[in-house]
Amino acid sequence: VAAKAAEGEASASLGVYSNYVWRGQTLSDEAVIQPTVGLSYGGFGINLWSNLDLDTDQLNETDLTLNFANSVDKLSYDVGYIYYGLDGLEDTQEFYLSVGYDIMFSPSATFYYDFDEGEGGFLVLAAGYSIPVMEMYSIDLGADVTVNFENAILGLDEDGEEFTGFYNADLSVGSSIPLMDAVTLDLLLAYSLALGDDAEAAISGASVDGEDDVFWGGAALS
């Protein structure tokens, strides 16, 4: 949702991706469809997101996010709550706080705390850069590095225990192409890899293909 929204806004998107990838974990064998809808007013937002696995034809996850976003000069912040509704697994919940600064490379830090099944934290340090291509669109580059803080949802280390340490890194390239008023086509290609032996064990153990890295991508109509 947009920060400092003066009026109510509604948004929706329908994405098709080669895999469902979450925090470096590959959670589908084949392509997925991911619809999302959201409403915001005065900085407050509500969002529903779902994952439809095309291999099993099952809607196996629906997440609810409640948040408040705002900015002061170049500093922006976003605080919220996420409920993860999982099919076949125990549901879980997180609080998060994200801060960013509007300078070159758009640095940001987001900390998630799972106070339910995970009972641990997850930190994302991210940066991005947009390269103008034409007047109407640009190529967007992104990178992040993450750290796990004994979060059980994120898997176990080589010794079968929860751990604190680097988790995964993501590299991405994307673009948002305007098609008509208020409608865009969002393209994404990304690569995720585990950082260190403990993360390799955790991510490969949680991934459906048993791998600790993945190249994936897709498109969304928003």
Side-chain angles (χ1 to χ4, degrees), residues 38-110:
L39 295 171
S40 65
Y41 186 85
F44 292 95
I46 180 171
N47 182 273
L48 276 175
W49 174 96
S50 292
N51 182 75
L52 174 63
D53 192 318
L54 294 179
D55 182 35
T56 62
D57 293 326
Q58 291 185 337
L59 193 70
N60 56 19
E61 181 174 344
T62 298
D63 301 340
L64 169 68
T65 301
L66 306 174
N67 78 310
F68 177 76
N70 204 346
S71 62
V72 179
D73 295 327
K74 293 187 176 183
L75 179 68
S76 62
Y77 64 89
D78 184 354
V79 58
Y81 160 83
I82 306 173
Y83 184 92
Y84 295 88
L86 307 172
D87 182 34
L89 298 171
E90 294 292 334
D91 295 352
T92 195
Q93 304 172 78
E94 287 182 333
F95 289 123
Y96 73 86
L97 171 64
S98 181
V99 293
Y101 202 72
D102 185 16
I103 57 174
M104 182 177 289
F105 301 119
S106 304
S108 68
T110 305

Side-chain angles (χ1 to χ4, degrees), residues 136-220:
M136 296 298 293
Y137 69 95
S138 62
I139 295 176
D140 304 316
L141 306 176
D144 66 55
V145 173
T146 71
V147 183
N148 175 37
F149 295 91
E150 296 191 359
N151 189 332
I153 294 294
L154 299 178
L156 305 178
D157 64 14
E158 292 182 303
D159 299 321
E161 299 177 350
E162 299 163 14
F163 70 98
T164 294
F166 286 109
Y167 195 72
N168 79 300
D170 299 291
L171 300 172
S172 66
V173 57
S175 186
S176 183
I177 303 171
L179 300 181
M180 61 185 72
D181 186 29
V183 178
T184 62
L185 178 65
D186 302 318
L187 305 176
L188 176 68
L189 287 174
Y191 176 69
S192 178
L193 72 159
L195 298 177
D197 294 339
D198 289 336
E200 288 177 1
I203 292 175
S204 62
S207 297
V208 296
D209 58 3
E211 299 293 333
D212 57 43
D213 67 338
V214 59
F215 179 78
W216 62 286

